């Protein structure tokens, strides 16, 4: 901010400490992933990329990456459609009851995911959705809805309701108004929500532990098993790849926001 | 564009929000091709009436008729009315041309015909050069004209304007007033305008409806409203006015004798107006510019002496507050060019006005 007071030494020091505290565990993984040893450790003599080669040459790892990716895509689709429609509906009707519905929609991030997972396990067993691609996609899609509801509701709060009135007044039906006026205006919010829903599915582990076993073996699940069974440094390499991919998505979100604000 | 206007009528229009009555039994008629302005202070219900006409607000009672057909229950998108919103409500993600094309796109008009109509509409408001710009790249006045073009492009049955000029600065507002008036004459459509700006209402409209507390107070041509306000509120809201409490001394066929304290006054009686009995208390409205400065020996129907208490220079005129013995403080405006006096505080002057300058008004019901 131009012309604002510069922060004092105490404020900037505590800001840096918090930032380092947040970043340190992530950055430790990077040297570990480049270790020249056969077990999880810091590099001893040289830096090596062989664990990356192991991961990218392994059919199991690549299979899990692909599976995680497609599950994330499918669940994002579910979360975006359901979340956007819910947010728009609540915004248009806008009564006390819709506030309640919006709060209900946030339940999946309020309730501990292990509770959710236990419930899903019981239901999915009956519906024959355990250890199925569709099962995990639905579970991740539903738990991804809150992210979309939050971002789309925020976008709608900034939407001038007179634009909708103007469109209706000029003869546009509800669908036409939605397609040509409301959706283009809240598209950045939808995109943000989609990115968060994708990330949510991409690194979700607890639910997967409960409702998937052999056929569906997502990336976080494989890391989890790898850590439990052997301390292969390949895990660190996967973790770094995971972080990089997530970072990329967040940067994409940032770029989208910047483009919207520039308008 | 064809010159087919449509007639609009409101019958007993009422809108209640809980116990609050926003619009109270308003009946109005707008003839085809007329420019009607709903004028009132904020909270007078004028915007609610416009929203009822547009279909965004459902009235609690009463009806909206277009050419005699009841359209009260029709949703806004089926009414075919053009509307210019307060703040214009242009679509920020579309270019000017796309904004203007929107009502045509909604009606699934062919691309070629659409482009033709958009060009004609932008021509009408002299914005053809700005077709590819975004609304955010235009000035307030230009945005306002885009909103007008967009509201007129689909040949609407009625054009509704919600405080169309309120966001503009004074000079631009005056310019656009002229343009709006010329546009109305060119397209020959029925316009219904909402404003709280009395000058805008007087200069633009064929008819003005004055509202207060949700009720229609008076309706008529601007000159009729200005010169013959029915109530104190109308006289006060539309321009400035002095109010004189006078007692009737003696009636007459065309004029009556009144008095305030020891000062005698003559008041003309308008044709058809009541003839109050002697002793009746009357409230008179007297416009500051209808009072003249009297030279020595000059006479008028009504004359009063006073001293200038305060004065201000307004460019085109002087605004004087003149303290008088019986009439209290009188507000007077004089043209500044060729003024016979140089105003000064304490200066003794004589004022005069004709018997038809003032007009009896009713006190407003509380």
């Amino acid at each position: 901010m131009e012309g604002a007071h510069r922060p004092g030494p105490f404020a900037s020091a505590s800001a840096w400490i918090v930032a380092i505290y947040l970043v340190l565990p992530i950055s430790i993984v990077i040297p570990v992933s480049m270790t020249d040893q056969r077990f999880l450790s810091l590099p001893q003599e040289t830096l090596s990329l062989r664990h990356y080669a192991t991961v990218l040459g392994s059919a199991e790892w690549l299979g899990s990456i692909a599976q995680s990716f497609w599950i994330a895509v499918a669940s994002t689709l579910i979360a975006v459609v359901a979340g956007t429609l819910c947010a728009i509906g609540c915004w248009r009707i806008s009564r006390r009851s819709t506030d309640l519905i919006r709060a209900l929609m946030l339940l999946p991030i309020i309730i501990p995911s292990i509770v959710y997972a236990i419930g899903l396990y019981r239901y999915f067993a009956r519906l024959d959705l355990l250890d199925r691609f569709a099962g995990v996609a639905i579970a991740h899609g539903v738990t991804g809805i809150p992210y979309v509801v939050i971002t789309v509701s925020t976008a709608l709060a900034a939407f001038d309701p007179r634009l909708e009135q103007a469109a209706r007044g000029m003869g546009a039906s509800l669908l036409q108004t939605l397609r040509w006026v409301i959706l283009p205006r809240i598209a950045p919010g939808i995109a943000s929500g989609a990115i968060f829903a994708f990330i949510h599915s991409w690194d979700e582990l607890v639910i997967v532990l409960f409702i998937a076993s052999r056929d569906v073996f997502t990336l976080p699940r494989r890391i989890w098993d790898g850590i439990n069974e052997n301390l292969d440094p390949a895990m660190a390499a996967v973790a770094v790849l995971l972080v990089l991919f997530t970072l990329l998505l967040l940067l994409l979100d940032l770029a989208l926001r910047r483009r919207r604000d520039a308008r | 564009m064809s010159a087919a206007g449509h007639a609009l009528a409101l019958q007993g229009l009422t809108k209640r929000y809980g116990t609050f009555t926003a619009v109270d039994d308003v009946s109005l008629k707008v003839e085809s091709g007329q420019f009607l302005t709903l004028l009132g202070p904020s909270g007078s219900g004028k915007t609610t009436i416009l929203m009822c006409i547009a279909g965004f607000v459902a009235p609690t009672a009463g009806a909206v008729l277009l050419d005699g057909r009841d359209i009260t229950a029709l949703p806004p998108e089926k009414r075919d009315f053009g509307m210019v919103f307060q703040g214009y409500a242009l679509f920020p993600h579309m270019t000017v041309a796309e904004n203007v094309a929107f009502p045509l796109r909604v009606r699934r008009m062919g691309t070629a015909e659409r482009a033709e109509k958009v060009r004609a509409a932008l021509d009408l408001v002299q914005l053809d050069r700005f077709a590819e710009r975004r609304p955010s790249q235009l000035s307030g006045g230009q945005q306002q004209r885009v909103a007008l073009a967009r509201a007129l492009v689909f040949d609407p049955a009625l054009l509704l304007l919600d405080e169309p000029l309120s966001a503009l600065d004074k000079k631009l507002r005056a310019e656009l007033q002229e343009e709006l008036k010329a546009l109305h004459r060119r397209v020959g459509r029925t316009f219904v305008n909402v404003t709280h700006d009395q000058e805008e209402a007087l200069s633009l409209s064929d008819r003005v409806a004055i509202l207060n507390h949700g009720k229609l107070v008076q309706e008529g041509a601007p000159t009729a409203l200005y010169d013959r306000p029915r109530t104190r509120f109308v006289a006060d809201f539309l321009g400035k006015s002095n109010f004189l409490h006078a007692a009737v001394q003696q009636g007459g066929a065309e004029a009556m004798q009144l008095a305030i304290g020891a000062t005698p006054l003559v008041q003309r009686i308008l044709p058809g107006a009541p003839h109050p009995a002697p002793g009746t208390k009357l409230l008179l409205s007297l416009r500051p510019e209808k009072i003249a400065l009297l030279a020595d020996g000059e006479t008028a129907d009504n004359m009063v002496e006073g001293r200038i208490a305060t004065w201000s220079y307004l460019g085109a005129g002087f605004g004087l507050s003149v303290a008088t013995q019986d009439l209290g403080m009188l507000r007077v405006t004089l043209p500044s060019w060729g003024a016979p006096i140089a105003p000064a505080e304490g200066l003794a002057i004589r004022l005069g006005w004709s018997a038809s300058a003032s007009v009896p008004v009713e006190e407003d019901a509380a």
Side-chain angles (χ1 to χ4, degrees):
Chain A
M1 225 177 290
E2 214 145 320
H5 287 291
R6 294 185 63 78
F10 179 74
S12 30
S14 34
W16 277 112
I17 289 169
V18 170
I20 289 166
Y21 177 77
L22 288 174
V23 173
L24 209 57
I26 302 171
S27 45
I28 278 291
V29 176
I30 297 171
V32 170
S33 75
M34 291 196 271
T35 183
D36 50 353
Q37 306 293 306
R38 289 169 155 272
F39 49 91
L40 214 54
S41 62
L42 284 169
Q44 303 286 316
E45 279 150 34
T46 58
L47 292 178
S48 151
L49 289 176
R50 68 184 175 127
H51 300 297
Y52 285 89
T54 312
V55 168
L56 297 174
S58 139
E60 284 184 338
W61 282 110
L62 288 179
S64 281
I65 289 174
Q67 207 165 36
S68 263
F69 179 81
W70 289 115
I71 286 175
V73 168
S75 64
T76 301
L77 212 68
I78 294 169
V80 163
V81 171
T84 304
L85 289 178
C86 169
I88 291 177
C90 288
W91 171 75
R92 267 195 56 88
I93 299 167
S94 189
R95 294 214 194 93
R96 194 164 301 164
S97 58
T98 60
D99 286 347
L100 191 73
I101 288 175
R102 233 188 314 231
L104 267 176
M105 283 303 182
L106 302 186
L107 274 185
I109 47 174
I110 296 168
I111 288 178
S113 44
I114 195 149
V115 175
Y116 222 83
I118 293 169
L120 278 180
Y121 180 76
R122 282 190 55 86
Y123 270 111
F124 278 15
R126 221 171 296 159
L127 296 170
D128 196 24
L129 280 170
L130 286 179
D131 205 20
R132 292 284 175 85
F133 176 91
V136 179
I138 290 171
H140 283 176
V142 169
T143 48
I145 287 176
Y147 302 98
V148 181
V149 170
I150 291 172
T151 55
V152 174
S153 294
T154 311
L156 283 169
F159 179 86
D160 182 353
R162 272 178 312 193
L163 293 184
E164 197 212 346
Q165 277 194 344
R168 302 292 299 278
M170 283 183 282
S173 67
L174 196 59
L175 259 174
Q176 287 172 324
T177 309
L178 194 65
R179 207 167 77 214
W180 291 333
V181 178
I182 298 177
L183 283 181
R185 289 302 292 158
I186 61 169
I190 297 174
S192 273
I195 289 169
F196 282 113
F198 188 95
I199 293 173
H200 160 73
S201 162
W202 178 247
D203 69 0
E204 205 288 324
L205 174 65
V206 176
I207 294 175
V208 168
L209 281 178
F210 275 77
I211 65 168
S213 53
R214 240 167 288 124
D215 289 345
V216 177
F217 216 78
T218 63
L219 192 53
R221 176 72 196 268
R222 193 166 290 284
I223 297 174
W224 171 254
D225 278 25
I227 296 271
N228 279 341
E229 284 157 19
N230 50 25
L231 292 175
D232 187 347
M235 240 65 68
V238 173
V240 169
L241 292 176
L242 208 66
V243 167
L244 283 180
F245 185 63
T246 309
L247 204 66
L248 210 69
L249 287 176
L250 285 176
L251 286 177
L252 179 69
D253 181 51
L254 211 65
L256 283 175
R257 276 164 201 267
R258 184 143 319 153
R259 227 184 76 190
R260 172 190 53 190
D261 293 343
R263 283 224 178 135
Chain B
M1 286 184 198
S2 68
H6 293 261
L8 178 82
L10 306 179
Q11 288 179 345
L13 198 73
T14 301
K15 177 67 188 177
R16 283 188 210 98
Y17 294 101
T19 54
F20 174 69
T21 306
V23 179
D24 193 356
D25 194 20
V26 169
S27 295
L28 260 179
K29 264 196 178 143
V30 197
E31 300 300 329
S32 160
Q34 267 191 345
F35 195 129
L36 171 85
T37 295
L38 303 171
L39 175 69
S42 54
S44 60
K46 55 191 191 301
T47 301
T48 310
I49 294 177
L50 194 76
M51 289 299 163
C52 286
I53 299 174
F56 294 120
V57 170
T60 314
V64 180
L65 306 176
L66 186 71
D67 295 329
R69 193 167 62 96
D70 190 340
I71 58 162
T72 318
L74 217 56
E77 63 267 29
K78 298 261 163 67
R79 294 197 181 193
D80 243 9
F81 294 169
M83 180 144 181
V84 175
F85 284 80
Q86 202 172 1
Y88 321 134
L90 297 177
F91 302 126
H93 57 289
M94 300 183 193
T95 64
V96 166
E98 285 166 349
N99 260 285
V100 176
F102 186 86
L104 308 176
R105 193 168 152 207
V106 161
R107 286 168 177 72
R108 308 191 184 285
M109 186 182 277
T111 325
E113 198 185 354
R114 206 197 287 174
E116 181 61 37
K117 287 232 176 201
V118 169
R119 203 174 313 122
L122 286 176
D123 254 352
L124 192 70
V125 294
Q126 295 132 42
L127 276 179
D128 31 329
R129 287 178 299 119
F130 297 93
E132 295 314 314
R133 298 250 187 119
R134 296 224 177 236
S136 57
Q137 296 168 307
L138 301 182
S139 71
Q142 289 166 338
Q143 289 183 24
Q144 206 268 352
R145 295 206 294 244
V146 175
L148 270 172
R150 189 179 67 171
L152 283 167
V153 70
F154 60 104
D155 291 330
L158 211 63
L159 184 68
L160 308 177
L161 303 135
D162 186 7
E163 308 242 7
L165 306 175
S166 63
L168 305 171
D169 64 65
K170 196 171 174 178
K171 197 168 161 61
L172 199 56
R173 198 154 60 204
E175 264 176 54
L176 280 165
Q177 260 176 35
E178 290 302 313
E179 271 184 40
L180 199 55
K181 200 168 173 172
L183 190 70
H184 174 246
R185 235 175 274 131
R186 244 176 299 155
V187 301
R189 275 169 204 288
T190 313
F191 281 33
V192 178
N193 177 38
V194 157
T195 186
H196 60 264
D197 180 338
Q198 38 113 352
E199 267 177 53
E200 182 188 319
L202 291 176
S203 84
L204 285 176
S205 324
D206 297 313
R207 300 191 77 76
V208 177
I210 298 186
L211 295 146
N212 194 24
H213 299 310
K215 287 200 174 79
L216 178 65
V217 185
Q218 192 175 359
E219 187 255 346
T223 48
L225 287 182
Y226 189 80
D227 289 331
R228 292 190 298 281
R230 193 176 62 78
T231 74
R232 179 182 183 130
F233 173 79
V234 175
D236 205 26
F237 192 70
L238 213 57
K240 287 176 179 154
S241 181
N242 295 293
F243 292 101
L244 306 174
H245 293 269
V248 178
Q249 302 293 308
Q250 198 189 328
E254 289 184 350
M256 50 190 162
Q257 308 291 323
L258 312 172
I260 301 175
T263 305
L265 297 176
V266 187
Q267 173 64 51
R268 195 172 105 83
I269 300 172
L270 293 169
H275 291 250
T280 314
K281 302 273 189 212
L282 280 187
L283 179 68
L284 302 181
S285 156
L286 178 59
R287 301 277 185 201
E289 74 281 2
K290 293 184 179 174
I291 302 175
L293 197 66
L294 296 181
D296 285 341
E298 198 179 343
T299 59
D301 296 341
N302 297 290
M303 290 182 287
V304 63
E305 286 176 2
R307 284 181 186 280
I308 296 178
T310 58
W311 64 279
S312 47
Y313 179 57
L314 308 170
F318 288 112
L320 312 179
S321 286
V322 180
T324 65
Q325 181 84 51
D326 291 321
L327 276 56
M329 200 67 82
L330 280 184
R331 278 195 286 187
V332 180
T333 51
L334 297 175
S336 56
W337 182 249
I341 55 157
E345 277 171 32
L347 189 70
I349 53 174
R350 277 199 324 130
L351 301 172
W353 62 93
S354 81
S356 54
S358 51
V359 57
V361 294
E362 291 167 28
E363 197 66 73
D364 292 274

